[in-house]
Amino acid sequence: MTQAAATALDPREVLQADATSKEPIIAKRLLRFCSARTRDPQRAKDAAGDAVLLVLAGVGWHRWVYDGKREPAASLLMHLCDLAKDVLKQERNRAATWREVEGDPERDAAAPDSKPRPGEMPAEWAKQDEAMRHARMVMDRLDEDARTMLRVESESEDDLDATALADRLGWTVKQVYRARERVVYHRDQVRREASQKKGGGA
């Protein structure tokens, strides 16, 4: 494979190919990576999902460029782990700041009991596979402005309100609200379609 062909690989295609392969590795190993660092199933799922969204947004260092040195799935997995590690680092920084100001009793109390029980991980992997598929579907439906907004929100160490986000993007507050509405709309659509496929109705 030439360097030009290698770098042109789309992470969406690699994720899809891995998910439908006989021995998928990305979802399972990414979730295991996050779980080892959080000991919290929900936080691990959130970090893995955020990493997938960042690589699909493909902006700045979040963009995955295949170097051709290993299998595409293994290369993408390593990049996703780097993204997840950064996501968790930012989360820890925010949590530390919050505890300094007011404390975080719910998270502190839940941590000791949050370690996955034996036999629980396979189910978590299946859920993560589904979450990754949904994330890809949402990103595919979003326009470039909405993707940019999600990227800026995810990279920020602070919780940005509409005014602060508008300042970062050079938008009006109304544009931020409209972009958020599009994100919510497409997320709801993807969830509704998934529910209908499972027989959950409209």
Side-chain angles (χ1 to χ4, degrees):
M1 181 180 292
T2 65
Q3 185 67 16
T7 56
L9 280 178
D10 188 330
R12 291 174 177 79
E13 296 176 358
V14 177
L15 286 168
Q16 180 64 30
D18 179 72
T20 56
S21 67
K22 292 182 179 179
E23 296 183 1
I25 65 170
I26 295 178
K28 293 179 181 179
R29 295 185 185 177
L30 177 60
L31 184 61
R32 185 164 59 195
F33 176 88
C34 296
S35 296
R37 281 157 177 76
T38 63
R39 300 299 179 184
D40 183 324
Q42 187 57 52
R43 289 175 62 203
K45 287 175 60 180
D46 290 345
D50 286 346
V52 172
L53 286 174
L54 288 172
V55 82
L56 293 182
V59 179
W61 78 272
H62 297 149
R63 180 171 175 263
W64 173 64
V65 178
Y66 179 49
D67 57 13
K69 295 180 180 179
R70 56 178 62 85
E71 288 298 316
S75 174
L76 179 56
L77 173 62
M78 290 187 67
H79 185 62
L80 284 166
C81 287
D82 285 340
L83 293 179
K85 187 160 51 178
D86 188 64
V87 167
L88 291 170
K89 178 181 177 181
Q90 291 188 30
E91 179 187 299
R92 286 194 298 272
N93 291 340
R94 287 194 294 267
T97 301
W98 175 254
R99 283 194 293 270
E100 287 177 5
V101 177
E102 294 188 29
D104 192 355
E106 289 187 6
R107 175 170 293 176
D108 292 342
D113 298 324
S114 59
K115 186 175 180 179
R117 294 185 297 275
E120 187 176 28
M121 291 307 293
E124 290 299 321
W125 290 337
K127 292 178 182 178
Q128 186 61 27
D129 279 336
E130 184 176 25
M132 290 172 70
R133 287 195 300 273
H134 290 177
R136 291 196 300 270
M137 291 171 68
V138 172
M139 290 299 292
D140 286 342
R141 299 180 187 196
L142 291 176
D143 56 86
E144 192 60 35
D145 284 347
R147 294 179 185 176
T148 299
M149 183 192 70
L150 288 176
R151 175 183 59 81
V152 171
E153 284 188 298
S154 66
E155 290 178 344
S156 175
E157 295 188 1
D158 302 314
D159 292 327
L160 301 176
D161 60 20
T163 301
L165 190 54
D167 289 340
R168 292 278 185 95
L169 293 165
W171 294 0
T172 65
V173 172
K174 182 178 288 187
Q175 286 176 304
V176 171
Y177 284 137
R178 287 178 175 173
R180 284 179 170 173
E181 286 173 356
R182 293 196 297 276
V183 172
V184 171
Y185 171 79
H186 287 299
R187 281 176 176 168
D188 288 346
Q189 283 290 100
V190 167
R191 289 170 182 167
R192 186 176 300 110
E193 291 168 8
S195 177
Q196 290 173 346
K197 287 181 180 180
K198 291 179 180 180

